[in-house]
Amino acid sequence: GLYLHGAPIRFAPKEQVHVPILMWSSENLKQKRDYPNVKNIDKKITHEFLRHTVMDFFNLKTDYFNPEKSMLR
């Protein structure tokens, strides 16, 4: 009955803190977008990276977009 949303991270189990992500696209789309074949990301990422990655994937250009927070770069 303990829900840790908003609680200190030191109480959260690893399943709430370390969440895997899988991205898939066709070879055709990867070639069109010229994205590398990324296997592992060696930097710490957070949920904040998801929105920048989606914008990058769909080639959306806004003032908010930060390419350094895209998992595709």
Coordinates of all heavy atoms in Angstrom, one line a residue:
G1 N 0.8 -1.2 0.0 CA 0.0 0.0 0.0 C 0.8 1.3 0.0 O 0.3 2.3 0.1
L2 N 2.1 1.2 -0.2 CA 3.0 2.4 -0.2 C 3.3 2.7 -1.6 O 3.8 2.0 -2.4 CB 4.3 2.1 0.5 CG 5.3 3.3 0.5 CD1 4.7 4.5 1.2 CD2 6.6 2.9 1.2
Y3 N 2.8 3.9 -2.0 CA 3.1 4.4 -3.4 C 4.1 5.5 -3.3 O 3.9 6.4 -2.5 CB 1.7 4.9 -4.0 CG 0.7 3.8 -4.1 CD1 -0.2 3.6 -3.2 CD2 0.8 2.9 -5.2 CE1 -1.1 2.6 -3.2 CE2 -0.1 1.8 -5.3 CZ -1.1 1.7 -4.3 OH -2.0 0.7 -4.4
L4 N 5.1 5.4 -4.1 CA 6.3 6.3 -3.9 C 6.3 7.5 -4.9 O 7.3 8.1 -5.0 CB 7.5 5.5 -4.1 CG 7.7 4.4 -3.0 CD1 8.8 3.4 -3.4 CD2 7.9 5.0 -1.7
H5 N 5.2 7.8 -5.5 CA 5.2 9.0 -6.4 C 5.4 10.2 -5.6 O 4.6 10.5 -4.7 CB 3.9 9.0 -7.2 CG 3.6 7.8 -8.0 ND1 4.5 7.0 -8.6 CD2 2.4 7.2 -8.3 CE1 4.0 6.0 -9.2 NE2 2.7 6.1 -9.0
G6 N 6.4 10.9 -5.8 CA 6.7 12.2 -5.1 C 7.5 11.9 -3.8 O 7.9 12.9 -3.1
A7 N 7.7 10.7 -3.4 CA 8.5 10.3 -2.2 C 10.0 10.4 -2.6 O 10.4 10.4 -3.7 CB 8.2 9.0 -1.7
P8 N 10.8 10.5 -1.6 CA 12.3 10.6 -1.8 C 12.8 9.3 -2.6 O 12.3 8.2 -2.4 CB 12.9 10.6 -0.4 CG 11.9 11.1 0.4 CD 10.5 10.7 -0.1
I9 N 13.7 9.6 -3.5 CA 14.2 8.5 -4.4 C 14.8 7.4 -3.6 O 14.9 6.2 -4.0 CB 15.1 9.0 -5.5 CG1 15.3 8.0 -6.6 CG2 16.4 9.5 -4.9 CD1 15.9 8.6 -7.9
R10 N 15.4 7.7 -2.4 CA 16.1 6.6 -1.7 C 15.1 5.5 -1.2 O 15.6 4.4 -0.8 CB 16.8 7.2 -0.5 CG 16.0 7.8 0.6 CD 16.8 8.4 1.7 NE 16.0 9.0 2.7 CZ 15.7 10.3 2.7 NH1 16.3 11.1 1.8 NH2 15.0 10.8 3.7
F11 N 13.8 5.8 -1.2 CA 12.8 4.7 -0.8 C 12.3 4.0 -2.0 O 11.7 2.9 -1.8 CB 11.6 5.4 -0.1 CG 12.0 6.1 1.2 CD1 11.8 7.4 1.4 CD2 12.6 5.4 2.2 CE1 12.1 8.0 2.5 CE2 13.0 6.0 3.4 CZ 12.7 7.3 3.6
A12 N 12.5 4.4 -3.2 CA 11.9 3.8 -4.4 C 12.7 2.5 -4.8 O 13.9 2.5 -4.7 CB 12.0 4.8 -5.6
P13 N 12.0 1.5 -5.1 CA 12.7 0.3 -5.6 C 13.3 0.5 -7.0 O 12.8 1.4 -7.7 CB 11.5 -0.8 -5.7 CG 10.3 0.0 -5.8 CD 10.5 1.3 -5.1
K14 N 14.2 -0.3 -7.3 CA 14.9 -0.1 -8.6 C 14.0 -0.2 -9.8 O 14.2 0.4 -10.8 CB 16.1 -1.1 -8.8 CG 15.7 -2.5 -8.9 CD 16.9 -3.4 -9.1 CE 16.4 -4.8 -9.2 NZ 16.7 -5.5 -10.4
E15 N 12.9 -0.9 -9.7 CA 11.9 -1.0 -10.8 C 11.2 0.3 -11.1 O 10.7 0.5 -12.2 CB 10.9 -2.1 -10.5 CG 11.4 -3.5 -10.4 CD 12.1 -3.9 -9.1 OE1 12.1 -3.1 -8.2 OE2 12.7 -5.0 -9.1
Q16 N 11.2 1.2 -10.1 CA 10.6 2.5 -10.4 C 11.6 3.5 -10.9 O 11.2 4.5 -11.5 CB 9.9 3.0 -9.1 CG 8.6 2.4 -8.8 CD 7.9 3.2 -7.7 OE1 8.5 3.4 -6.7 NE2 6.7 3.5 -7.9
V17 N 12.9 3.2 -10.6 CA 13.9 4.2 -11.0 C 14.6 3.9 -12.3 O 14.9 4.7 -13.1 CB 14.9 4.3 -9.8 CG1 16.0 5.3 -10.1 CG2 14.2 4.7 -8.5
H18 N 14.9 2.6 -12.5 CA 15.6 2.1 -13.7 C 14.6 1.5 -14.6 O 14.3 0.3 -14.5 CB 16.7 1.2 -13.3 CG 17.7 1.8 -12.4 ND1 18.7 2.7 -12.8 CD2 17.8 1.7 -11.0 CE1 19.4 3.1 -11.8 NE2 18.9 2.5 -10.7
V19 N 14.1 2.2 -15.6 CA 13.1 1.7 -16.5 C 13.8 1.6 -17.9 O 14.3 2.6 -18.5 CB 11.9 2.7 -16.6 CG1 10.9 2.2 -17.6 CG2 11.3 2.9 -15.2
P20 N 13.8 0.4 -18.5 CA 14.4 0.2 -19.8 C 13.5 0.9 -20.9 O 12.3 1.0 -20.7 CB 14.4 -1.3 -20.0 CG 13.3 -1.8 -19.1 CD 13.2 -0.8 -18.0
I21 N 14.1 1.2 -22.0 CA 13.4 1.7 -23.2 C 13.9 1.0 -24.4 O 15.1 0.6 -24.5 CB 13.5 3.2 -23.3 CG1 12.6 3.7 -24.4 CG2 15.0 3.6 -23.6 CD1 12.5 5.2 -24.5
L22 N 13.0 0.7 -25.3 CA 13.3 0.0 -26.6 C 12.7 0.9 -27.7 O 11.6 1.3 -27.6 CB 12.7 -1.4 -26.6 CG 12.8 -2.2 -27.9 CD1 14.3 -2.5 -28.1 CD2 12.0 -3.4 -27.9
M23 N 13.6 1.1 -28.7 CA 13.1 1.9 -29.8 C 13.3 1.0 -31.1 O 14.4 0.4 -31.2 CB 13.9 3.2 -30.0 CG 13.6 4.2 -28.8 SD 14.5 5.7 -29.0 CE 13.7 6.4 -30.5
W24 N 12.4 1.0 -32.0 CA 12.5 0.3 -33.2 C 12.0 1.1 -34.3 O 11.0 1.9 -34.2 CB 11.6 -1.0 -33.1 CG 11.7 -1.8 -34.4 CD1 12.6 -2.7 -34.7 CD2 10.9 -1.7 -35.5 NE1 12.4 -3.2 -35.9 CE2 11.3 -2.6 -36.5 CE3 9.8 -0.8 -35.8 CZ2 10.7 -2.7 -37.7 CZ3 9.2 -1.0 -37.1 CH2 9.7 -1.9 -38.0
S25 N 12.6 1.0 -35.5 CA 12.1 1.7 -36.7 C 12.6 0.8 -37.9 O 13.6 0.0 -37.7 CB 12.6 3.1 -36.8 OG 14.0 3.1 -37.2
S26 N 12.0 1.0 -39.0 CA 12.4 0.3 -40.2 C 13.8 0.8 -40.7 O 14.2 1.9 -40.4 CB 11.4 0.5 -41.3 OG 11.4 1.8 -41.7
E27 N 14.4 -0.1 -41.4 CA 15.7 0.3 -42.0 C 15.5 1.5 -42.9 O 16.4 2.4 -43.0 CB 16.4 -0.8 -42.8 CG 16.9 -1.9 -41.9 CD 18.0 -1.5 -40.9 OE1 18.8 -0.6 -41.3 OE2 17.9 -1.9 -39.8
N28 N 14.4 1.5 -43.7 CA 14.1 2.6 -44.6 C 14.1 4.0 -43.9 O 14.6 5.0 -44.3 CB 12.8 2.3 -45.3 CG 12.5 3.3 -46.4 OD1 13.5 3.9 -47.0 ND2 11.3 3.6 -46.6
L29 N 13.4 4.0 -42.7 CA 13.2 5.2 -42.0 C 14.6 5.6 -41.4 O 14.9 6.8 -41.4 CB 12.2 5.1 -40.9 CG 11.9 6.4 -40.1 CD1 11.4 7.5 -41.0 CD2 10.9 6.1 -39.0
K30 N 15.3 4.7 -40.9 CA 16.6 5.0 -40.3 C 17.5 5.6 -41.4 O 18.3 6.6 -41.1 CB 17.3 3.8 -39.7 CG 16.8 3.4 -38.4 CD 17.6 2.4 -37.7 CE 17.3 1.0 -38.2 NZ 18.0 -0.1 -37.4
Q31 N 17.5 5.1 -42.6 CA 18.3 5.7 -43.7 C 17.8 7.1 -44.1 O 18.6 8.0 -44.3 CB 18.3 4.8 -44.9 CG 19.0 3.5 -44.7 CD 18.9 2.5 -45.8 OE1 18.2 2.8 -46.8 NE2 19.5 1.4 -45.7
K32 N 16.5 7.3 -44.1 CA 16.0 8.6 -44.4 C 16.4 9.6 -43.4 O 16.7 10.8 -43.7 CB 14.4 8.5 -44.5 CG 13.9 8.0 -45.7 CD 12.3 8.1 -45.7 CE 11.7 7.4 -46.9 NZ 10.2 7.5 -46.8
R33 N 16.4 9.2 -42.1 CA 16.7 10.2 -41.0 C 18.2 10.2 -40.8 O 18.6 11.0 -40.0 CB 16.0 9.8 -39.8 CG 14.5 9.9 -39.9 CD 14.1 11.3 -39.7 NE 12.6 11.4 -39.5 CZ 11.8 11.8 -40.4 NH1 12.2 12.1 -41.6 NH2 10.5 11.9 -40.1
D34 N 19.0 9.3 -41.3 CA 20.4 9.2 -41.1 C 20.8 9.1 -39.7 O 21.6 9.8 -39.1 CB 21.1 10.5 -41.7 CG 22.6 10.3 -41.9 OD1 23.0 9.1 -42.1 OD2 23.3 11.3 -41.7
Y35 N 20.1 8.2 -39.0 CA 20.4 7.9 -37.6 C 21.3 6.8 -37.5 O 21.3 5.8 -38.2 CB 19.1 7.6 -36.8 CG 18.2 8.8 -36.6 CD1 16.8 8.6 -36.8 CD2 18.7 10.0 -36.2 CE1 16.0 9.7 -36.7 CE2 17.8 11.1 -36.0 CZ 16.5 10.9 -36.2 OH 15.7 12.0 -36.1
P36 N 22.2 6.8 -36.5 CA 23.1 5.7 -36.3 C 22.4 4.5 -35.8 O 21.3 4.6 -35.3 CB 24.1 6.2 -35.3 CG 23.4 7.3 -34.5 CD 22.4 7.9 -35.5
N37 N 23.1 3.4 -35.8 CA 22.6 2.1 -35.2 C 23.0 2.1 -33.8 O 24.0 1.6 -33.4 CB 23.2 0.9 -36.0 CG 22.1 -0.2 -36.2 OD1 21.0 -0.1 -35.7 ND2 22.5 -1.2 -37.0
V38 N 22.2 2.7 -32.9 CA 22.5 2.8 -31.5 C 22.2 1.5 -30.8 O 21.1 1.1 -30.8 CB 21.8 4.0 -30.9 CG1 22.1 4.1 -29.4 CG2 22.1 5.3 -31.6
K39 N 23.2 1.0 -30.1 CA 22.9 -0.2 -29.3 C 22.8 0.1 -27.8 O 21.9 -0.3 -27.2 CB 24.1 -1.2 -29.5 CG 24.3 -1.7 -30.9 CD 23.2 -2.8 -31.2 CE 23.5 -3.4 -32.6 NZ 22.5 -4.1 -33.1
N40 N 23.7 0.8 -27.3 CA 23.7 1.2 -25.9 C 24.0 2.7 -25.8 O 24.8 3.3 -26.5 CB 24.7 0.4 -25.1 CG 24.4 -1.0 -25.0 OD1 23.4 -1.4 -24.6 ND2 25.4 -1.8 -25.4
I41 N 23.4 3.3 -24.8 CA 23.6 4.7 -24.5 C 24.5 4.7 -23.2 O 24.1 4.2 -22.2 CB 22.3 5.5 -24.3 CG1 21.6 5.5 -25.7 CG2 22.6 6.9 -23.9 CD1 20.2 6.1 -25.6
D42 N 25.6 5.4 -23.3 CA 26.5 5.3 -22.1 C 26.4 6.6 -21.2 O 27.2 6.8 -20.4 CB 28.0 5.2 -22.6 CG 28.4 6.3 -23.5 OD1 27.6 7.1 -23.9 OD2 29.6 6.3 -23.8
K43 N 25.3 7.3 -21.4 CA 25.1 8.5 -20.5 C 23.8 8.3 -19.8 O 22.9 7.6 -20.2 CB 25.1 9.8 -21.3 CG 24.0 9.9 -22.3 CD 24.1 11.2 -23.0 CE 23.1 11.3 -24.1 NZ 23.2 12.5 -24.9
K44 N 23.8 8.9 -18.6 CA 22.6 8.8 -17.8 C 21.4 9.6 -18.5 O 21.6 10.8 -18.8 CB 22.8 9.4 -16.4 CG 21.7 9.2 -15.5 CD 22.0 9.7 -14.1 CE 20.8 9.6 -13.2 NZ 21.1 10.0 -11.8
I45 N 20.3 9.0 -18.6 CA 19.2 9.6 -19.2 C 18.0 9.6 -18.3 O 17.9 8.8 -17.4 CB 18.8 9.0 -20.6 CG1 18.4 7.6 -20.4 CG2 19.9 9.2 -21.6 CD1 17.8 7.0 -21.7
T46 N 17.1 10.5 -18.4 CA 15.9 10.6 -17.6 C 14.7 10.6 -18.5 O 14.8 10.7 -19.7 CB 15.9 11.9 -16.7 OG1 15.8 13.0 -17.6 CG2 17.2 11.9 -15.9
H47 N 13.5 10.7 -17.9 CA 12.3 10.7 -18.7 C 12.2 12.0 -19.5 O 11.5 12.0 -20.5 CB 11.0 10.6 -17.8 CG 10.9 11.8 -16.9 ND1 11.6 12.0 -15.7 CD2 10.1 12.9 -17.0 CE1 11.3 13.2 -15.2 NE2 10.4 13.7 -15.9
E48 N 12.9 13.0 -19.2 CA 13.0 14.2 -19.9 C 13.5 14.0 -21.4 O 13.1 14.8 -22.3 CB 13.8 15.3 -19.2 CG 13.8 16.6 -19.8 CD 14.6 17.6 -19.1 OE1 15.3 17.3 -18.1 OE2 14.7 18.8 -19.5
F49 N 14.3 13.0 -21.6 CA 14.9 12.8 -22.9 C 13.9 12.3 -23.9 O 14.0 12.4 -25.1 CB 16.0 11.7 -22.7 CG 17.3 12.3 -22.3 CD1 17.5 12.8 -21.0 CD2 18.4 12.3 -23.1 CE1 18.7 13.3 -20.6 CE2 19.7 12.8 -22.7 CZ 19.8 13.3 -21.4
L50 N 12.8 11.6 -23.4 CA 11.8 11.0 -24.3 C 11.2 12.1 -25.2 O 11.1 11.9 -26.4 CB 10.7 10.3 -23.5 CG 9.7 9.6 -24.3 CD1 10.3 8.6 -25.2 CD2 8.6 9.0 -23.4
R51 N 10.8 13.2 -24.7 CA 10.1 14.2 -25.6 C 11.1 14.7 -26.6 O 10.7 15.0 -27.8 CB 9.5 15.3 -24.7 CG 10.5 16.2 -24.0 CD 9.9 17.1 -23.0 NE 9.7 16.3 -21.8 CZ 9.2 16.8 -20.7 NH1 8.9 18.1 -20.6 NH2 9.1 16.1 -19.6
H52 N 12.3 14.9 -26.3 CA 13.3 15.4 -27.2 C 13.6 14.4 -28.3 O 13.8 14.7 -29.5 CB 14.6 15.9 -26.5 CG 14.3 17.0 -25.6 ND1 14.2 18.3 -26.1 CD2 14.1 17.1 -24.3 CE1 14.0 19.1 -25.0 NE2 13.9 18.4 -23.9
T53 N 13.6 13.1 -27.9 CA 13.9 12.0 -28.8 C 12.7 11.9 -29.8 O 12.9 11.7 -31.0 CB 14.0 10.7 -28.1 OG1 15.1 10.8 -27.1 CG2 14.3 9.5 -29.0
V54 N 11.5 12.0 -29.3 CA 10.3 11.9 -30.2 C 10.3 13.1 -31.2 O 10.1 12.9 -32.4 CB 9.0 11.9 -29.4 CG1 7.8 12.0 -30.3 CG2 8.9 10.6 -28.6
M55 N 10.6 14.3 -30.7 CA 10.7 15.5 -31.6 C 11.8 15.2 -32.7 O 11.6 15.6 -33.9 CB 11.0 16.7 -30.8 CG 9.8 17.2 -30.1 SD 10.0 18.9 -29.4 CE 11.0 18.5 -27.9
D56 N 12.9 14.7 -32.3 CA 14.0 14.4 -33.2 C 13.6 13.4 -34.2 O 13.9 13.5 -35.4 CB 15.2 14.0 -32.4 CG 16.5 14.0 -33.2 OD1 16.6 14.6 -34.3 OD2 17.5 13.5 -32.7
F57 N 13.0 12.3 -33.7 CA 12.6 11.2 -34.6 C 11.6 11.7 -35.7 O 11.7 11.3 -36.9 CB 11.9 10.1 -33.8 CG 11.5 8.9 -34.6 CD1 12.5 7.9 -34.8 CD2 10.3 8.7 -35.1 CE1 12.2 6.8 -35.6 CE2 9.9 7.6 -35.8 CZ 10.9 6.6 -36.1
F58 N 10.7 12.6 -35.4 CA 9.7 13.1 -36.4 C 10.2 14.4 -37.0 O 9.5 15.0 -37.7 CB 8.4 13.3 -35.7 CG 7.7 12.0 -35.4 CD1 7.6 11.5 -34.1 CD2 7.2 11.2 -36.5 CE1 6.9 10.3 -33.9 CE2 6.6 10.0 -36.2 CZ 6.4 9.5 -34.9
N59 N 11.5 14.7 -36.7 CA 12.1 15.9 -37.4 C 11.3 17.2 -37.1 O 11.1 18.0 -38.0 CB 12.2 15.7 -38.9 CG 13.3 16.5 -39.5 OD1 14.2 16.9 -38.8 ND2 13.3 16.7 -40.8
L60 N 10.8 17.3 -35.9 CA 10.1 18.5 -35.4 C 11.1 19.6 -34.9 O 11.9 19.3 -34.1 CB 9.1 18.2 -34.3 CG 8.0 17.2 -34.7 CD1 7.2 16.9 -33.5 CD2 7.1 17.8 -35.8
K61 N 11.0 20.7 -35.4 CA 11.9 21.8 -35.0 C 11.1 22.9 -34.2 O 10.2 23.5 -34.7 CB 12.6 22.5 -36.2 CG 13.3 21.5 -37.1 CD 14.5 20.8 -36.3 CE 15.2 19.9 -37.3 NZ 15.8 18.8 -36.6
T62 N 11.5 23.0 -33.0 CA 10.9 24.0 -32.1 C 12.0 24.7 -31.3 O 13.1 24.2 -31.2 CB 9.8 23.4 -31.1 OG1 10.5 22.7 -30.2 CG2 8.8 22.6 -31.9
D63 N 11.7 25.8 -30.6 CA 12.6 26.4 -29.7 C 12.9 25.5 -28.5 O 13.9 25.6 -27.9 CB 12.1 27.8 -29.3 CG 12.1 28.8 -30.4 OD1 12.8 28.6 -31.4 OD2 11.3 29.8 -30.3
Y64 N 11.9 24.7 -28.2 CA 12.0 23.8 -27.0 C 13.0 22.7 -27.3 O 13.6 22.1 -26.3 CB 10.7 23.3 -26.6 CG 10.7 22.4 -25.5 CD1 10.8 22.9 -24.2 CD2 10.5 21.0 -25.6 CE1 10.9 22.0 -23.1 CE2 10.6 20.2 -24.5 CZ 10.7 20.7 -23.3 OH 10.8 19.9 -22.2
F65 N 13.1 22.2 -28.5 CA 13.9 21.0 -28.8 C 15.4 21.2 -28.5 O 16.0 22.2 -28.8 CB 13.8 20.7 -30.3 CG 14.7 19.5 -30.8 CD1 14.5 18.3 -30.3 CD2 15.7 19.8 -31.7 CE1 15.3 17.2 -30.7 CE2 16.5 18.8 -32.1 CZ 16.3 17.5 -31.6
N66 N 15.9 20.2 -27.8 CA 17.3 20.3 -27.4 C 18.0 19.0 -27.9 O 17.8 17.9 -27.4 CB 17.5 20.3 -25.9 CG 18.9 20.4 -25.4 OD1 19.9 20.2 -26.2 ND2 19.2 20.6 -24.2
P67 N 18.8 19.1 -29.0 CA 19.3 17.9 -29.6 C 20.3 17.1 -28.7 O 20.4 15.9 -28.8 CB 20.1 18.4 -30.8 CG 20.2 19.9 -30.7 CD 19.1 20.3 -29.7
E68 N 20.8 17.7 -27.7 CA 21.7 17.0 -26.7 C 20.9 16.1 -25.8 O 21.5 15.2 -25.2 CB 22.4 18.0 -25.8 CG 23.5 18.8 -26.6 CD 24.3 19.8 -25.8 OE1 24.2 19.7 -24.5 OE2 24.9 20.7 -26.3
K69 N 19.6 16.3 -25.8 CA 18.7 15.4 -25.0 C 18.0 14.4 -25.8 O 17.1 13.7 -25.4 CB 17.7 16.2 -24.2 CG 18.4 17.0 -23.1 CD 17.4 17.7 -22.2 CE 18.1 18.4 -21.1 NZ 17.1 19.1 -20.2
S70 N 18.4 14.2 -27.1 CA 17.8 13.2 -27.9 C 18.6 11.9 -27.8 O 19.9 12.0 -28.0 CB 17.8 13.6 -29.4 OG 17.4 12.6 -30.2
M71 N 18.0 10.8 -27.6 CA 18.7 9.5 -27.6 C 19.2 9.1 -29.0 O 19.9 8.1 -29.1 CB 17.8 8.5 -26.9 CG 17.6 8.7 -25.5 SD 16.5 7.5 -24.7 CE 14.9 8.1 -25.1
L72 N 18.8 9.8 -30.0 CA 19.2 9.4 -31.4 C 20.5 10.1 -31.8 O 21.0 9.8 -32.9 CB 18.1 9.8 -32.3 CG 16.8 9.1 -32.1 CD1 15.7 9.7 -33.0 CD2 16.9 7.6 -32.2
R73 N 21.1 10.9 -31.0 CA 22.3 11.6 -31.4 C 23.5 11.1 -30.6 O 23.4 10.6 -29.5 CB 22.2 13.1 -31.1 CG 20.9 13.6 -31.7 CD 21.2 14.6 -32.6 NE 20.0 15.0 -33.3 CZ 20.0 16.0 -34.2 NH1 21.0 16.6 -34.5 NH2 18.9 16.3 -34.8

